[in-house]
Amino acid sequence: MKKSFFIRSLVALSFALLSCNATAATLGTDNGGNYGGNWISSTNFGTGFGNWDLWTTGTDDNNVAGHFISSGQFGMYANGSTSSRTSQANAQRLFDGGALTAGQSFLIELGVDFRNGLKGIDLFSGAFQMVWNFNVGGDTYRPGGADLSELVAPYVANSVFSIRANQLTSSTFEVLVSRGGSNLYTSTAIDGAVNGFKLYIGETTGGGDANNLLANNLQIIPEPSTPLLMGLGLAGLAV
């Protein structure tokens, strides 16, 4: 009788854990192809994300910046023809439902070619507090404030970087950066809970479209957490 009760308890626990995870199907997805040619502030044709907030700064007759859709991708530019090159384009977004929880991940792909000026992504925690950054500029790829060497990450035209933020606990996360299927960078545990991001580009000059920043394939997904894996193991033992 005691054994039967123990087995029933394990099975119940396992199903309870599975039920908790069942609500964590793919929580968010969006891509530029959803927008046609209408990527403007307050638009939102994805799921799991808040409205886009788009703006530019430092523009005049010689310094231009803006947002566009190209080949189903989100695009941004900020080119200058003067030495100041102060123009910048920005696009930020929060996650619906608040910050990632343990076991969830945020994924996005960034396309970059020329590395002059500055362009990249900030990850937010709390009230738009930047807790991690990936910047491309000055002939350098820089995730988390660390320059990647030319040996590790040489210049590659039209590079597509995959950025993945994994929420490890309720208050720590890690970030992985890869290109062409090869991992280039893995952070240590970072304090914070990721709840949004900002794309930016500015101070580029010359090169035309090669200076643009592209982004696509946004996702917020769940991953099996340790309690879930333990539950599955207990279920197996119970059977």
Side-chain angles (χ1 to χ4, degrees), residues 55-59 62-68 75-91 112 114-122 133-139 198-206 208 210-214:
W55 75 97
T56 61
T57 59
T59 59
N62 297 311
N63 299 276
V64 295
H67 308 79
F68 61 94
M76 300 165 59
Y77 65 92
N79 301 317
S81 59
T82 65
S83 59
S84 59
R85 303 198 307 273
T86 57
S87 58
Q88 183 164 322
N90 307 275
V112 297
F114 287 2
R115 298 184 290 186
N116 68 33
L118 52 91
K119 65 198 76 169
I121 182 172
D122 294 337
N133 165 265
F134 175 55
N135 185 72
V136 179
D139 293 336
K198 183 180 81 170
L199 304 172
Y200 64 87
I201 181 172
E203 302 181 10
T204 66
T205 182
N211 282 324
N212 294 344
L213 175 69
L214 301 175

Side-chain angles (χ1 to χ4, degrees), residues 69-124:
I69 299 291
S70 175
S71 301
Q73 303 175 87
F74 300 106
M76 300 165 59
Y77 65 92
N79 301 317
S81 59
T82 65
S83 59
S84 59
R85 303 198 307 273
T86 57
S87 58
Q88 183 164 322
N90 307 275
Q92 69 182 17
R93 203 174 195 188
L94 297 178
F95 304 158
D96 276 350
L100 300 180
T101 57
Q104 291 183 326
S105 299
F106 166 63
L107 297 86
I108 188 172
E109 293 181 347
L110 300 182
V112 297
D113 190 350
F114 287 2
R115 298 184 290 186
N116 68 33
L118 52 91
K119 65 198 76 169
I121 182 172
D122 294 337
L123 297 184
F124 293 146

Side-chain angles (χ1 to χ4, degrees), residues 10 15 23 76 91 94 107 112 128-129 155 162 176 178 185 200 209 218-219:
L10 289 177
F15 278 109
T23 61
M76 300 165 59
L94 297 178
L107 297 86
V112 297
F128 299 100
Q129 177 185 357
Y155 169 75
S162 297
L176 288 74
S178 61
Y185 163 91
Y200 64 87
D209 290 347
L218 285 67
Q219 297 181 69

Side-chain angles (χ1 to χ4, degrees), residues 6 19 23 25 38 41 86-87 100 132 135 154 156-157 170 176 188 239:
F6 179 65
S19 298
T23 61
N38 193 38
S41 205
T86 57
S87 58
L100 300 180
W132 185 86
N135 185 72
V156 175
S170 61
L176 288 74
T188 57
V239 172

